[in-house]
Amino acid sequence: MELHLTCCPDCRSENFKSHTTYTVHGEQRHIYHCDECGSYFSQTKNTALEGLRTPLSRITTILDAINEGMSLNAACRVFEVGKNSIYRWQDRLAAVKEVLLLYALCHQFVQQLIEGDEVYTRVNKNKPPDESEGWTIVLMDRATRFIWEMQCGEKEQSLFEDAMNLLAQVIEQTEGLSLLTDGERRYGNILFEICYEVLRTGNPGRPKHTLPEGVKVRIKNKGSQAHKRGRKRPKYQAPHNEHPETEQNIEIKQIHANHLEAFNSSLRRRLSCYRRRTNTYAKTQSALQTRLDVYWILHNFVRSHFTTKQVPAVAMGILETGLSWQDIFTIQYIEA
Ligand SMILES: [Zn+2]
């Protein structure tokens, strides 16, 4: 799978040549001619840049600002840009997110240690937390800081199901995967439902159901429960049967470390709609999701992580070098 324009949008032929060039905002672009079907197409065909009249440098300056903590309203005032323009750019990028996720899922991984947690913000005003659509599930690989999932919605079964369906796809690409979560039991339960295997040992009786080989789930017991008088519960639990061939290699101190807390506080710092006591909350769930999708691209594919000093997708072995905004705006969409 290639990320950039490699085929004719009409016939998918890779035999095309530059026909003419044109200049947009001082930047040279090509019109290609397909040798197979004869059609002409611009190099921005089916990319986020297609038909945009604003210079890319201005778009990326504004996107950088709103992903470094500036609110949308402030960006509109400072850069004298309309809100709808920003929405349009973000919608385009959210479509690129799909391409990048599929691209990531084309790779094979050795080991992953995934932390799962939820971060909460308000969507629209005056809704109690249990009705809010601002619950956001984050699934992050600990070593690389690559984020697989960043999905918002009401804190209900389907939000957890979507996240665990994605994780099941990641498991298919990974030799060994451990999921650590902080109390919420639905992660493990749903994952088990999605991908349990029936273990046939040849012994009589009902065959045992286990997680697939190499897959482990650990749930941290919250402090108050762990210290209740009388019975002492372990600090962490393996809530489901694991395959007998699964290597038991998680140390307790690994479980205690929590990298998502640091991630969540940087999210609160950088996306104004996640700031506490904010009045710049997102107006709708889909608007919030679009901001998250753009943030997902930036976090995984563009920025070097503060601690690892690497772009997460590079650390994960998905890319050799990080992408630039220019790269991302010129990624070819997959046509339905
Ligand atoms: Zn063609």
Side-chain angles (χ1 to χ4, degrees):
M1 182 177 170
E2 292 284 339
L3 281 174
H4 291 93
L5 186 65
T6 53
C7 66
C8 163
D10 289 322
C11 72
R12 307 214 146 252
S13 163
E14 290 171 19
N15 295 320
F16 57 84
K17 287 193 213 64
S18 176
H19 178 71
T20 44
T21 57
Y22 62 106
T23 306
V24 180
H25 313 300
E27 211 181 281
Q28 200 181 55
R29 290 184 192 162
H30 295 270
I31 297 282
Y32 294 112
H33 178 243
C34 174
D35 291 342
E36 300 286 330
C37 73
S39 66
Y40 294 90
F41 55 94
S42 155
Q43 74 179 73
T44 62
K45 180 73 188 161
N46 292 346
T47 69
L49 213 49
E50 186 177 354
L52 292 184
R53 272 164 299 178
T54 313
L56 185 58
S57 59
R58 174 167 157 83
I59 295 176
T60 60
T61 302
I62 297 168
L63 290 174
D64 276 333
I66 63 174
N67 284 284
E68 279 296 346
M70 189 182 273
S71 74
L72 237 50
N73 287 334
C76 291
R77 292 190 299 267
V78 171
F79 297 106
E80 296 181 349
V81 61
K83 224 179 212 174
N84 286 334
S85 295
I86 300 181
Y87 287 146
R88 190 178 321 121
W89 306 332
Q90 294 197 122
D91 284 341
R92 296 286 187 91
L93 290 172
V96 176
K97 186 224 166 179
E98 293 305 309
V99 181
L100 288 170
L101 180 58
L102 282 173
Y103 183 76
L105 284 169
C106 289
H107 292 75
Q108 296 285 326
F109 311 105
V110 183
Q111 283 287 332
Q112 295 201 49
L113 188 62
I114 306 281
E115 289 182 21
D117 200 0
E118 310 92 53
V119 50
Y120 166 73
T121 189
R122 287 186 295 171
V123 174
N124 230 325
K125 42 190 144 177
N126 296 335
K127 266 191 187 172
D130 59 336
E131 286 169 28
S132 169
E133 295 160 325
W135 289 95
T136 307
I137 288 190
V138 183
L139 298 176
M140 181 173 80
D141 175 54
R142 183 177 283 179
T144 61
R145 308 302 206 272
F146 189 86
I147 289 177
W148 284 107
E149 178 74 315
M150 246 179 129
Q151 188 70 38
C152 71
E154 274 185 65
K155 194 178 185 181
E156 58 184 21
Q157 191 76 355
S158 63
L159 187 66
F160 290 92
E161 280 170 3
D162 289 347
M164 290 302 101
N165 276 316
L166 174 60
L167 196 66
Q169 288 180 268
V170 177
I171 285 172
E172 301 224 333
Q173 304 298 107
T174 312
E175 282 172 34
L177 185 144
S178 305
L179 172 64
L180 305 182
T181 69
D182 216 354
E184 175 62 66
R185 309 187 75 81
R186 274 181 279 191
Y187 293 104
N189 295 344
I190 294 169
L191 186 66
F192 191 77
E193 282 305 310
I194 293 171
C195 67
Y196 75 80
E197 287 177 2
V198 180
L199 191 68
R200 303 199 185 276
T201 55
N203 295 333
R206 260 167 53 139
K208 204 167 154 187
H209 290 182
T210 72
L211 286 163
E213 185 178 342
V215 177
K216 295 187 280 284
V217 175
R218 293 292 179 277
I219 293 180
K220 207 200 270 187
N221 280 320
K222 291 277 169 66
S224 59
Q225 293 169 318
H227 291 120
K228 245 179 205 157
R229 245 181 303 159
R231 70 201 169 105
K232 206 170 178 186
R233 286 170 67 178
K235 268 271 164 58
Y236 65 92
Q237 278 184 305
H240 299 282
N241 290 328
E242 286 166 13
H243 194 281
E245 307 283 312
T246 298
E247 199 187 340
Q248 294 300 332
N249 55 354
I250 312 186
E251 291 169 31
I252 293 178
K253 69 169 191 290
Q254 279 188 313
I255 296 175
H256 289 329
N258 184 339
H259 296 71
L260 269 185
E261 258 167 44
F263 173 79
N264 290 348
S265 58
S266 91
L267 187 68
R268 291 195 188 285
R269 208 164 53 240
R270 285 175 155 156
L271 279 194
S272 62
C273 44
Y274 279 84
R275 213 164 288 144
R276 292 185 196 276
R277 288 185 294 272
T278 182
N279 54 11
T280 65
Y281 41 76
K283 295 288 182 284
T284 66
Q285 183 195 334
S286 70
L288 185 65
Q289 188 60 53
T290 304
R291 295 209 65 180
L292 288 171
D293 289 345
V294 176
Y295 196 83
W296 183 94
I297 296 174
L298 271 182
H299 173 93
N300 284 334
F301 291 89
V302 181
R303 285 179 181 151
S304 286
H305 189 272
F306 179 76
T307 311
T308 67
K309 309 276 187 270
Q310 267 191 308
V311 176
V314 174
M316 193 72 126
I318 293 167
L319 293 174
E320 294 201 353
T321 52
L323 300 178
S324 63
W325 275 121
Q326 169 84 34
D327 292 329
I328 285 163
F329 269 91
T330 51
I331 285 174
Q332 200 176 10
Y333 301 141
I334 302 164
E335 282 171 283

